[in-house]
């Protein structure tokens, strides 16, 4: 005979999985990745590759280190992504003429051309959310604020996080 759990105190409720903001963010991220997988398949890109392309379409040629900073990725994670994009003919990596320790990443003609086909991606993702543009903007601003606050907490700059 199984017993029914007794009602938890308010404090104990915070230990429930469905009370965890980290799990809600994780589940939303996985759901987003699923939608992106379908939408980006038509472009021949994975989600991480799409993020690389977004930065390059916006910023142009960049050193690998700067690209990693924009994406919050270390070179060990970024290098295989760049290698696959290079194999696909979308980017080219070359040692910097100014600093041989630095590798520059630039779009190829095919990488530049892919941007036109990618213009439909944000619209399709927005439609998949069921949110209007104002809700999407608000959510993004809140998530950006959350990221900044958590970054500060990780550096010990937020009171109460020691």
């Amino acid at each position: 005979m199984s017993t029914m759990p007794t009602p938890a105190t308010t404090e104990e409720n915070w230990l429930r999985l469905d009370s965890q903001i980290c799990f809600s963010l994780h589940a939303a991220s996985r759901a987003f990745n699923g939608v992106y997988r379908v939408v980006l398949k038509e472009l021949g890109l994975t989600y991480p590759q799409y993020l690389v392309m977004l930065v390059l379409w916006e910023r142009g040629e960049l050193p690998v280190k700067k690209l990693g900073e924009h994406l919050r990725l270390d070179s060990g994670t970024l290098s295989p992504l760049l290698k696959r994009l290079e194999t696909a003919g979308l980017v080219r990596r070359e040692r910097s003429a100014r600093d041989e320790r630095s590798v520059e990443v630039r779009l190829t003609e095919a990488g530049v051309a892919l941007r036109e086909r990618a213009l439909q991606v944000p619209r399709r993702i927005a439609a998949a959310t069921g949110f209007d543009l104002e809700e999407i903007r608000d959510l993004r601003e809140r998530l950006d604020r959350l990221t900044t606050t958590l970054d500060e907490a990780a550096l010990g700059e937020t009171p109460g996080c020691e």
Side-chain angles (χ1 to χ4, degrees):
M1 180 170 144
S2 66
T3 60
M4 293 294 292
T6 58
T9 65
T10 302
E11 191 167 293
E12 288 173 338
N13 281 335
W14 282 108
L15 292 179
R16 293 177 47 90
L17 181 62
D18 61 0
S19 295
Q20 305 301 308
I21 188 173
C22 58
F23 185 72
S24 294
L25 287 169
H26 172 73
S29 178
R30 289 183 54 87
F32 258 112
N33 286 340
V35 173
Y36 270 105
R37 190 176 309 111
V38 171
V39 172
L40 294 175
K41 186 175 187 176
E42 298 168 17
L43 300 179
L45 296 174
T46 63
Y47 177 69
Q49 291 169 343
Y50 175 66
L51 296 179
V52 169
M53 297 301 289
L54 286 174
V55 173
L56 293 173
W57 288 327
E58 180 182 346
R59 306 270 176 177
E61 180 178 332
L62 284 173
V64 171
K65 182 176 180 171
K66 270 285 190 223
L67 185 58
E69 289 171 5
H70 285 292
L71 295 170
R72 301 172 67 106
L73 295 174
D74 60 44
S75 62
T77 303
L78 190 53
S79 290
L81 283 172
L82 294 173
K83 185 175 184 178
R84 286 191 293 277
L85 288 169
E86 192 169 33
T87 299
L90 299 173
V91 303
R92 188 171 39 253
R93 294 179 293 172
E94 296 175 356
R95 290 253 169 236
S96 169
R98 295 179 302 276
D99 180 357
E100 294 228 354
R101 297 169 296 176
S102 179
V103 175
E104 303 278 335
V105 182
R106 72 172 47 104
L107 294 166
T108 62
E109 285 184 31
V112 171
L114 185 61
R115 185 179 184 278
E116 281 301 311
R117 291 181 46 219
L119 288 171
Q120 49 81 29
V121 172
R123 191 171 31 257
R124 289 181 64 189
I125 297 300
T129 69
F131 291 174
D132 64 36
L133 292 179
E134 188 59 37
E135 289 173 308
I136 290 171
R137 186 176 299 110
D138 180 59
L139 178 59
R140 186 184 41 77
E141 288 172 1
R142 287 171 179 249
L143 289 171
D144 289 346
R145 257 191 1 248
L146 176 63
T147 300
T148 298
T149 302
L150 292 174
D151 282 345
E152 290 169 357
L155 294 173
E157 297 174 8
T158 301
C161 293
E162 297 163 32

